């Protein structure tokens, strides 16, 4: 549980450490002073507040897709307590990323994904068809429909969807996304697909 008094004391200690430590040790020791969730918020804040044209979307992607809905709710709360800013608003203000990427990250951050035990094989067939219609099955790409499936369904459900896609259309979802998507939006979707729904596997390649 977040303890405001402990947090304030930690902030004073962190300031002391910054003034006393050498540059080589400072970053390592100061980062160790934060609880895991606080450290993630620190990394998100750094990624969101670099120069406008070089936002660190890799860090943003890695953090948001490796947390479950409960963890993301706590992440939002901690970010507000540490920086007095709404995390989803910060993401929405990114200038160097497409609106589809920002909308997808925002939907994940707000805990929109279904719980892991939520699976429906019959629905997976329909969702595989929806991904095809939104991408390879039309002229142009309907990114919002792809985002809806990829951001709403549980990872276990997505496994079924990916399998159905291959069965129905003879191609993998990865092949489809590489053809239809680009930039940060492509990377965040591939991080989910290629990593066998363990995104950190892809992001560390």
């Amino acid at each position: 549980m977040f303890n405001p008094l402990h947090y304030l004391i930690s902030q004073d200690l962190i300031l002391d450490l910054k003034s006393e430590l050498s540059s080589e040790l400072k970053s390592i020791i100061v980062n160790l002073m934060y609880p895991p969730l606080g450290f993630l918020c620190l990394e998100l804040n750094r990624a969101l507040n670099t120069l406008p044209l070089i936002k660190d979307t890799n860090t943003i992607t890695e953090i948001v897709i490796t947390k479950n809905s409960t963890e993301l709710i706590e992440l939002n709360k901690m970010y507000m307590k540490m920086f007095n800013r709404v995390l989803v608003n910060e993401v929405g203000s990114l200038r160097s990323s497409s609106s589809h990427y920002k909308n997808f990250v925002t939907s994940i951050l707000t805990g929109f994904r279904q719980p892991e035990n939520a699976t429906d094989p019959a629905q997976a067939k329909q969702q595989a068809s929806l991904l095809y219609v939104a991408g390879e099955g039309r002229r142009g790409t309907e990114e919002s429909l792809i985002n809806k499936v990829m951001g709403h369904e549980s990872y276990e459900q997505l496994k079924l969807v990916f399998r159905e896609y291959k069965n129905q259309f003879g191609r993998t979802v990865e092949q489809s996304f590489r053809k239809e998507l680009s930039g940060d939006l492509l990377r965040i979707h591939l991080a989910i697909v290629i990593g066998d729904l363990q995104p950190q596997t892809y992001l560390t390649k």
Side-chain angles (χ1 to χ4, degrees):
M1 181 179 295
F2 181 80
N3 186 322
L5 179 59
H6 179 267
Y7 176 70
L8 291 174
I9 293 173
S10 297
Q11 293 305 294
D12 290 338
L13 180 56
I14 288 171
L15 290 175
D16 289 340
L17 288 171
K18 285 182 176 179
S19 65
E20 296 295 331
L21 294 173
S22 66
S23 58
E24 293 182 357
L25 288 175
K26 185 185 301 183
S27 178
I28 296 173
I29 299 301
V30 168
N31 286 342
L32 289 173
M33 290 299 300
Y34 288 91
L37 201 60
F39 175 71
L40 292 180
C41 289
L42 195 69
E43 285 294 284
L44 281 172
N45 183 258
R46 177 193 59 77
L48 288 162
N49 290 281
T50 51
L51 295 175
L53 296 180
I54 54 171
K55 299 297 186 184
D56 185 2
T57 53
N58 289 344
T59 294
I60 298 168
T61 292
E62 181 176 2
I63 291 174
V64 301
I65 65 173
T66 54
K67 303 302 170 195
N68 61 40
S69 294
T70 300
E71 291 170 330
L72 289 171
I73 291 171
E74 294 304 313
L75 186 72
N76 279 287
K77 292 179 181 178
M78 178 66 83
Y79 195 90
M80 171 60 79
K81 288 173 180 176
M82 289 180 65
F83 302 106
N84 197 30
R85 298 176 184 174
V86 179
L87 180 55
V88 293
N89 291 347
E90 295 264 87
V91 171
S93 67
L94 285 172
R95 295 182 180 179
S96 58
S97 298
S98 70
S99 60
H100 294 297
Y101 173 81
K102 291 185 287 188
N103 290 341
F104 187 57
V105 172
T106 297
S107 71
I108 296 174
L109 282 172
T110 52
F112 192 52
R113 193 178 297 283
Q114 292 292 308
E116 280 309 300
N117 60 354
T119 58
D120 185 336
Q123 189 177 30
K125 294 181 179 181
Q126 299 176 4
Q127 290 165 336
S129 296
L130 181 61
L131 286 180
Y132 180 79
V133 170
E136 292 185 290
R138 62 180 295 150
R139 179 176 296 179
T141 304
E142 188 60 59
E143 290 91 344
S144 61
L145 291 179
I146 295 174
N147 284 353
K148 182 177 180 180
V149 174
M150 296 292 290
H152 178 262
E153 299 305 325
S154 70
Y155 286 143
E156 289 302 314
Q157 178 70 8
L158 287 178
K159 287 182 180 179
L160 299 180
V161 174
F162 300 158
R163 187 180 306 142
E164 283 297 331
Y165 194 97
K166 180 67 179 297
N167 290 340
Q168 291 184 41
F169 307 109
R171 291 168 59 82
T172 65
V173 169
E174 177 191 346
Q175 291 172 321
S176 174
F177 285 174
R178 287 189 182 278
K179 178 182 177 182
E180 300 296 328
L181 304 176
S182 62
D184 292 329
L185 186 62
L186 171 62
R187 180 170 174 80
I188 193 170
H189 285 307
L190 289 185
I192 296 173
V193 177
I194 296 179
D196 193 24
L197 304 179
Q198 298 178 25
Q200 60 272 25
T201 302
Y202 172 71
L203 289 164
T204 55
K205 287 184 178 180

